[in-house]
């Protein structure tokens, strides 16, 4: 360190860790400091996101490591241990920090300083950032920064990160903190405690664990069943647990009741530091006006009404308003495809570019409108404080299926599209609730299932009126939409009893005061999420599309199809006399295409699985459709169109395909699709995981292949069994 | 905490908006108890009921100058003396 200080003009790299409570504006400060440039990944083996930014300040290269928002540094799981490991320089893949920036909400200083108080025990150069300074001062809270700095023994700076105010001072304070010697952390605990720390250190040393950081020793003693116990080598783990239990008994006997002693002493210390430093005006007007808003927004009638309207608006936005934008993406994709078609001669390479690459890119971009809309709403709701109230309102209802109020929005959004829904599970901090929500989200009937339902219902379900006014078609559509949600309830229960056992996670949630959302924060959140989707899930979604294209293209001989394509394009469709010839060529082209797909690897797979799908009432053609629609459910329409020689460019609800399906027969002449078969297909698509994009997003969010594979397996089995029962029972009772 | 025979008063027993209590103890040493203490629910602190969710649960409280929501099962872990 001394080398660096003696030559300040020389550019030397520094690592700074950024930590703070949730909802303190940490990401906003991160973006403001690093200029919005960040490398995002995952720490190996855990679901914790690793976000690293780099920037220059006064000739110094600063690497900023963002740590997940947390209320304390008492790790209870491997995920929570990551922050401690990063801070101690024990985390593989992350450099040891030279300094820590602790950001706090200055309007809620007392609670926020708890984390800071723990952080001080690391004895790292630390800067305390009092964020949201503008709102705090406008609330009539005054904080004597000079005095606070003196009492806490660290640099204190004030910022309003969303207005980019005070940002330079943060970097400046970091450099200053590095030059000064770190004041030793305050010794809050009684002497007996520090004696035990010493003893533990010796005990570990005797067993070959040398130089264990003071902070870790402290955590081992204080955190009953905490993750720090696992920080020592595995060989001594059981012995260590036993030792710690005894040490805690000794401490309790000496008057240090674990774990209560820590919170008690730290909060006492905080209150002493703040005495005479923080002064609240007689009446905190903002807080009481926030309480008045709360009375209305959590009211049993008005609150529910507003909530329903907000949710309706969000659903409407991702389900309907995103439509034109998605059509624009599809239109653009069509335009680019046509352009390329004009440039390139027909052949394998053109097919790869158009049906593989352009379609692959399109299949990623097409989800952006929904993602942007959902995350805009989430960002606004989070920033104005309503998000926590939404969870507060829905919690009781969601506990009935073993989840918390925070799962409501991701699950509801999944009715429009599971991709933003799965991404929205980030609002759930608890790992168990988040995982269960993510794994059942794809069961919600998304908009991509609708074309399948529409095709089957209008072709095969009679429009009978029940009780004179309810259309049977409507009932079937409603049943399909409810099916996934109903099935999700027992699935969530099973997941809770198997993979995610353990006590019910606490629902201890901060309810921040209401405020106007900041456009800058909303924009940044939406931008971050969209970018994360395109960069991190996009490549996987793209690959799936290209792989399925290749399976559908090879190994057939496309010479005839290509020459027909050339011929069709050369005919001037405007000329009346050509129309008959054009129709004949198109029909031949479609027939050739049908044969090609049947003979492709995909077609062979479809034929090979016919014995498997026959109990569902399907033939190989529907089997091919099911396999080909792995990247996305709606692809089944285009695939069936190709297989039934109608061409692949069918509009939704094209009567041609319905007619073809109605006329389709088994080799013995009996009709292929009866009412039970139509129902069986719909049930299958309602429950199956035929959405590569969702699976890839799950892969990205969980940082593991295990969960997308698990999701695909359980949903496919579920879909198979359900559609088997539908077909068999339906046939048996003769509907 | 005090007389074993006397039923313990907990935070969940505060049924009126505006009623207040002084915290005596948080029961247990599991994740819920630790989280409650970390959030500032420690001995001798005052806590006030701000409101109830439409189905009566969870409950919004005021403590240490901020607002927090707890389920009634969690509130029942907090022994209080009503004031």
């Amino acid at each position: 360190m001394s080398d660096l200080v003696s030559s300040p003009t020389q550019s030397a790299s520094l690592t700074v860790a950024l930590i703070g409570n949730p909802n303190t504006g940490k990401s906003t400060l991160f973006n403001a400091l690093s200029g919005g440039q960040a490398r995002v990944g995952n720490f190996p083996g855990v679901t914790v996101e690793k976000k690293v930014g780099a920037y220059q300040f006064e000739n110094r290269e600063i690497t900023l490591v963002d740590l997940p928002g947390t209320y304390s540094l008492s790790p209870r799981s491997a995920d929570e241990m990551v922050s401690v490991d990063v801070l101690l320089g024990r985390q593989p893949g992350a450099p040891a920090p030279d300094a820590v920036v602790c950001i706090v909400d200055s309007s809620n200083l007392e609670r926020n300083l708890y984390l800071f108080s723990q952080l001080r025990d690391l004895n790292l150069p630390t800067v305390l950032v009092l964020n949201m300074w503008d709102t705090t001062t406008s609330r009539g809270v005054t904080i004597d920064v000079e005095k606070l700095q003196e009492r806490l023994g660290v640099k204190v700076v004030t910022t309003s990160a969303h207005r980019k105010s005070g940002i330079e001072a943060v970097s400046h304070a970091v450099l200053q903190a590095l030059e000064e010697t770190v004041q030793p952390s305050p010794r809050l605990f009684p002497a007996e405690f520090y004696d035990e720390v010493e003893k533990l250190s010796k005990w570990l040393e005797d067993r070959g664990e040398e130089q264990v950081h003071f902070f870790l020793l402290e955590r081992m003693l204080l955190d009953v069943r905490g993750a720090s116990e696992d920080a020592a080598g595995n060989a001594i783990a059981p012995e260590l647990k036993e030792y710690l239990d005894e040490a805690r008994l000794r401490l309790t006997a000496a008057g240090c009741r674990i774990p209560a002693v820590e919170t008690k002493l730290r909060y006492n210390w905080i209150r002493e530091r703040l005495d005479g430093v923080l002064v609240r005006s007689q009446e905190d007007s903002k807080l009481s006006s926030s309480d008045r808003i709360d009375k209305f927004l959590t009211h049993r009638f008005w609150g529910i009404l507003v909530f329903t309207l907000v949710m309706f608006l969000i659903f409407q936005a991702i389900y309907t308003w995103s439509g034109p934008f998605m059509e624009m993406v599809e239109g653009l994709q069509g335009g680019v495809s046509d352009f390329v078609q004009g440039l390139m001669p027909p052949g394998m390479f053109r097919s790869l570019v158009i049906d593989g690459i352009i379609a692959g890119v399109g299949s990623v971009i097409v989800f952006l409108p929904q993602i942007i809309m959902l995350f805009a709403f989430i960002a606004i709701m989070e920033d104005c404080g309503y998000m926590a109230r939404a969870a507060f309102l829905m919690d009781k209802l969601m506990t009935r299926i073993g989840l918390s109020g925070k799962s409501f929005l991701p699950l509801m959004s999944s009715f429009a599209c599971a991709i933003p829904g799965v991404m929205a599970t980030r609002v759930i901090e608890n790992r168990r609730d988040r995982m269960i929500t993510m794994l059942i989200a794809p069961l919600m009937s998304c908009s991509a299932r609708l074309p399948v339902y529409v095709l089957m219902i209008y072709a095969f379900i009679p429009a009978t009126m029940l009780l004179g006014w309810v259309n049977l078609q409507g009932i079937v559509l409603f049943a399909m939409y409810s099916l996934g949600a109903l099935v999700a309830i027992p699935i969530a229960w099973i997941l809770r009893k198997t993979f995610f056992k353990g006590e019910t996670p606490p629902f201890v949630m901060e309810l921040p005061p209401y405020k106007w959302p900041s456009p800058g924060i909303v924009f940044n959140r939406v931008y971050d999420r969209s970018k994360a989707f395109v960069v991190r899930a996009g490549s996987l979604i793209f690959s799936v599309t290209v792989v399925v294209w290749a399976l559908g293209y090879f190994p057939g001989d496309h010479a005839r199809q290509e020459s027909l394509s050339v011929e069709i394009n050369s005919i001037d469709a405007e000329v009346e006399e050509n129309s008959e010839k054009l129709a004949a060529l198109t029909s031949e082209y479609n027939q050739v295409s049908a044969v090609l797909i049947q003979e492709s690897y995909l077609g062979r797979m479809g034929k090979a699985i016919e014995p498997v799908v026959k109990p569902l009432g399907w033939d190989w053609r529907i089997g091919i459709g099911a396999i080909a629609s792995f990247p996305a459910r709606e692809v089944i329409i285009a695939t069936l169109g190709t297989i039934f020689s109608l061409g692949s460019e069918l509009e939704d609800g094209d009567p041609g395909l319905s007619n073809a399906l109605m006329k389709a027969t088994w080799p013995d002449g009996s009709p292929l699709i009866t009412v039970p078969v139509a129902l069986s297909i719909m049930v299958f698509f309602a429950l199956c995981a035929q959405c590569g994009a969702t699976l890839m997003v799950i892969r990205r969010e969980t940082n593991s292949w295990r969960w997308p594979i698990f999701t695909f397996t359980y949903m496919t089995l579920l879909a198979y069994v359900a559609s088997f029962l539908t077909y068999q029972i339906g046939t048996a009772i003769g509907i | 905490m005090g007389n074993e025979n006397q039923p313990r008063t907990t935070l969940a027993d505060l049924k009126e908006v505006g009623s207040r209590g002084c915290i005596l103890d948080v029961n247990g040493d599991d994740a819920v108890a630790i989280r409650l203490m970390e959030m500032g629910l420690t001995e001798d602190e005052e806590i006030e009921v701000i409101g109830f969710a439409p189905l009566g649960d969870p409950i919004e409280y005021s403590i240490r100058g901020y607002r927090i929501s707890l389920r009634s099962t969690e509130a029942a872990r907090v022994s209080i003396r009503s004031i």
Side-chain angles (χ1 to χ4, degrees):
Chain A
M1 223 9 71
S2 57
D3 295 352
L4 300 179
V5 176
S6 63
S7 54
T9 46
Q10 193 190 327
S11 172
S13 179
L14 287 175
T15 303
V16 177
L18 178 61
I19 195 164
N21 283 189
N23 310 311
T24 49
K26 193 164 61 66
S27 334
T28 314
L29 180 66
F30 180 93
N31 286 338
L33 280 170
S34 64
Q37 291 299 312
R39 280 177 291 123
V40 183
N42 271 81
F43 287 110
V46 286
T47 55
V48 180
E49 191 177 74
K50 177 183 172 185
K51 201 163 139 196
V52 180
Y55 68 103
Q56 289 257 340
F57 186 79
E58 293 183 356
N59 285 327
R60 302 294 282 270
E61 192 71 48
I62 299 180
T63 307
L64 193 62
V65 182
D66 190 26
L67 295 173
T70 179
Y71 291 110
S72 84
L73 273 181
S74 321
R76 278 181 288 269
S77 65
D79 279 7
E80 289 176 2
M81 192 66 193
V82 170
S83 295
V84 173
D85 283 339
V86 170
L87 288 168
L88 293 175
R90 290 161 40 99
Q91 178 67 40
D98 299 297
V100 194
V101 171
C102 178
I103 179 171
V104 296
D105 172 359
S106 49
S107 64
N108 185 2
L109 199 52
E110 197 169 306
R111 216 275 327 287
N112 271 255
L113 282 180
Y114 186 77
L115 174 69
F116 170 80
S117 144
Q118 290 184 318
L119 201 61
R120 280 288 278 121
D121 289 0
L122 289 160
N123 279 318
L124 278 168
T126 305
V127 173
L128 180 68
V129 174
L130 306 184
N131 194 29
M132 308 185 183
W133 188 248
D134 50 349
T135 42
T136 305
T137 43
S138 76
R139 271 170 64 173
V141 179
T142 51
I143 300 169
D144 186 337
V145 177
E146 284 289 315
K147 219 181 207 171
L148 185 66
Q149 179 161 294
E150 209 173 286
R151 287 194 187 172
L152 296 178
V154 300
K155 287 261 166 275
V156 180
V157 285
T158 61
T159 59
S160 305
H162 66 112
R163 292 191 178 164
K164 293 203 167 35
S165 133
I167 305 302
E168 290 226 331
V170 176
S171 303
H172 197 75
V174 169
L175 295 189
Q176 270 187 312
L178 280 166
E179 286 180 30
E180 290 166 11
T181 43
V182 178
Q183 287 195 24
S185 65
R187 288 169 77 88
L188 308 178
F189 295 91
E192 289 89 344
F193 179 77
Y194 294 104
D195 290 346
E196 280 296 342
V197 173
E198 280 293 308
K199 267 202 240 168
L200 175 60
S201 172
K202 288 215 183 66
W203 187 89
L204 285 167
E205 223 166 275
D206 290 345
R207 282 154 188 79
E209 293 277 341
E210 276 162 41
Q211 304 277 316
V212 179
H213 196 285
F214 168 76
F215 183 80
L216 266 187
L217 299 169
E218 199 180 59
R219 298 278 28 118
M220 284 183 191
L221 288 168
L222 290 170
D223 299 340
V224 185
R225 293 180 295 276
S228 49
E229 287 183 9
D230 308 323
N234 281 331
I236 58 164
E239 214 186 330
L240 175 64
K241 282 192 177 34
E242 216 169 283
Y243 175 87
L244 290 173
D245 282 339
E246 284 165 20
R248 286 182 199 124
L249 282 178
R250 284 198 294 274
L251 282 168
T252 305
C256 290
R257 208 160 59 89
I258 306 240
V261 64
E262 183 182 17
T263 47
K264 174 89 184 136
L265 292 177
R266 289 197 192 280
Y267 271 112
N268 284 351
W269 179 79
I270 292 165
R271 190 151 286 172
E272 280 164 26
R273 297 313 101 177
L274 292 181
D275 184 40
V277 165
L278 184 140
V279 183
R280 282 177 200 278
S281 62
Q282 209 56 0
E283 197 195 356
D284 190 335
S285 57
K286 280 274 165 59
L287 206 55
S288 48
S289 72
S290 182
D291 283 344
R292 276 197 296 279
I293 301 174
D294 232 14
K295 286 233 156 37
F296 177 71
L297 288 180
T298 61
H299 187 268
R300 62 181 58 201
F301 177 75
W302 299 112
I304 297 285
L305 183 73
V306 171
F307 178 80
T308 312
L309 288 175
V310 171
M311 291 301 132
F312 179 75
L313 196 69
I314 294 177
F315 192 77
Q316 193 66 12
I318 43 184
Y319 202 96
T320 313
W321 300 350
S322 63
F325 296 99
M326 294 171 83
E327 276 163 27
M328 251 166 62
V329 173
E330 278 159 3
L332 201 68
Q333 185 188 329
V336 174
S337 298
D338 289 346
F339 179 70
V340 171
Q341 190 143 13
L343 285 184
M344 295 170 76
M348 191 272 276
F349 197 60
R350 187 173 85 177
S351 179
L352 170 68
V353 172
I354 292 175
D355 301 324
I357 295 171
I358 296 174
V361 172
S363 65
V364 174
I365 307 287
V366 80
F367 292 115
L368 271 183
Q370 291 179 323
I371 289 173
I372 290 172
M373 294 220 187
L374 179 61
F375 279 94
F377 276 106
I378 289 181
I380 292 170
M381 282 166 65
E382 277 185 331
D383 204 40
C384 74
Y386 189 67
M387 195 68 179
R389 272 70 182 195
F392 181 73
L393 288 172
M394 282 298 111
D395 187 61
K396 186 79 185 172
L397 201 67
M398 298 305 286
T399 49
R400 303 222 165 115
I401 61 166
L403 294 171
S404 85
K406 292 188 178 176
S407 297
F408 184 82
L409 185 67
L411 289 177
M412 188 207 71
S413 312
S414 298
F415 275 100
C417 178
I419 290 156
V422 166
M423 290 173 71
T425 60
R426 277 162 189 260
V427 300
I428 310 168
E429 314 81 45
N430 182 267
R431 179 176 179 272
R432 189 190 87 144
D433 282 0
R434 181 172 178 215
M435 289 298 300
I436 296 176
T437 309
M438 206 185 295
L439 298 181
I440 63 172
L443 283 172
M444 306 301 131
S445 236
C446 67
S447 56
R449 278 136 162 139
L450 192 60
V452 183
Y453 299 156
V454 169
L455 175 69
M456 290 296 154
I457 287 176
Y458 290 105
F460 299 101
I461 307 295
T464 321
M465 286 297 179
L466 299 178
L467 305 169
W469 60 279
V470 200
N471 189 332
L472 182 63
Q473 291 181 329
I475 292 182
V476 172
L477 187 62
F478 180 75
M480 288 305 145
Y481 264 88
S482 321
L483 181 65
L486 289 176
V487 168
I489 297 170
I491 297 287
W493 186 84
I494 293 168
L495 287 172
R496 222 165 53 240
K497 295 289 169 196
T498 53
F499 292 101
F500 306 102
K501 267 191 264 194
E503 49 189 323
T504 308
F507 187 69
V508 178
M509 184 178 62
E510 188 180 347
L511 295 168
Y514 291 101
K515 68 176 184 69
W516 287 106
S518 145
I521 290 179
V522 172
F523 175 81
N524 273 330
R525 293 246 178 102
V526 173
Y527 178 76
D528 277 357
R529 291 272 61 85
S530 312
K531 192 175 149 196
F533 169 75
V534 172
V535 175
R536 300 175 68 204
S539 51
L540 289 165
I541 298 170
F542 172 79
S543 313
V544 169
T545 313
V546 174
V547 167
V548 174
W549 163 81
L551 288 176
Y553 188 84
F554 295 108
D557 177 7
H558 290 256
R560 179 74 191 133
Q561 190 195 30
E562 281 154 21
S563 66
L564 281 166
S565 160
V566 173
E567 218 173 316
I568 290 168
N569 281 334
S570 68
I571 291 173
D572 188 351
E574 300 294 310
V575 184
E576 191 72 30
E577 300 90 82
N578 287 345
S579 64
E580 223 166 273
K581 195 176 167 200
L582 193 63
L585 284 170
T586 308
S587 155
E588 192 187 348
Y589 177 86
N590 286 341
Q591 267 156 31
V592 171
S593 303
V595 172
L596 280 170
I597 194 167
Q598 286 169 34
E599 287 172 356
S600 70
Y601 291 120
L602 202 67
R604 292 176 197 186
M605 283 157 77
K607 283 180 185 163
I609 64 157
E610 198 183 57
V612 182
V613 296
K614 211 154 188 181
L616 310 182
W618 306 3
D619 75 343
W620 55 270
R621 287 173 286 193
I622 305 171
I624 296 177
I627 296 177
S629 59
F630 172 70
R633 292 176 183 87
E634 65 273 21
V635 170
I636 192 174
I637 308 286
T639 312
L640 288 176
T642 308
I643 296 172
F644 285 97
S645 311
L646 297 162
S648 61
E649 282 159 24
L650 290 172
E651 294 289 319
D652 281 356
D654 186 298
L657 186 54
S658 304
N659 286 334
L661 288 175
M662 284 192 268
K663 281 188 211 132
T665 57
W666 288 95
D668 66 5
S670 61
L672 171 63
I673 303 182
T674 58
V675 173
V677 176
L679 287 172
S680 137
I681 293 172
M682 280 191 278
V683 167
F684 187 88
F685 273 80
L687 300 176
C688 71
Q690 299 296 89
C691 181
T694 303
L695 295 172
M696 295 311 131
V697 169
I698 294 177
R699 149 85 186 103
R700 272 305 171 197
E701 294 293 322
T702 60
N703 193 28
S704 146
W705 281 107
R706 182 179 167 192
W707 296 113
I709 292 170
F710 171 80
T711 308
F712 179 73
T713 314
Y714 100 77
M715 287 180 69
T716 306
L717 283 175
L718 192 69
Y720 185 86
V721 172
S723 65
F724 173 78
L725 292 176
T726 307
Y727 172 69
Q728 296 297 343
I729 296 172
T731 311
I733 62 173
I735 53 171
Chain B
M1 280 290 119
N3 193 337
E4 291 292 320
N5 300 324
Q6 212 173 335
R8 208 163 65 98
T9 309
T10 72
L11 199 49
D13 296 324
L14 299 180
K15 300 284 186 200
E16 296 296 319
V17 170
S19 54
R20 287 156 66 213
C22 178
I23 295 171
L24 298 173
D25 184 33
V26 179
N27 192 10
D29 62 2
D30 59 344
V32 178
I34 294 172
R35 170 51 54 87
L36 289 172
M37 292 188 276
E38 285 171 350
M39 296 302 272
L41 282 83
T42 57
E43 203 182 323
D44 294 336
E45 272 305 306
E46 273 185 26
I47 188 162
E48 182 184 334
V49 179
I50 298 293
F52 296 85
L55 293 164
D57 196 15
I59 309 149
E60 181 177 355
Y61 297 99
S62 163
I63 187 160
R64 291 187 190 271
Y66 79 101
R67 305 289 179 261
I68 190 173
S69 103
L70 307 180
R71 289 185 186 142
S72 55
T73 48
E74 289 153 355
R77 304 281 298 272
V78 185
S79 302
I80 56 152
R81 174 168 53 81
S82 40
I83 45 177

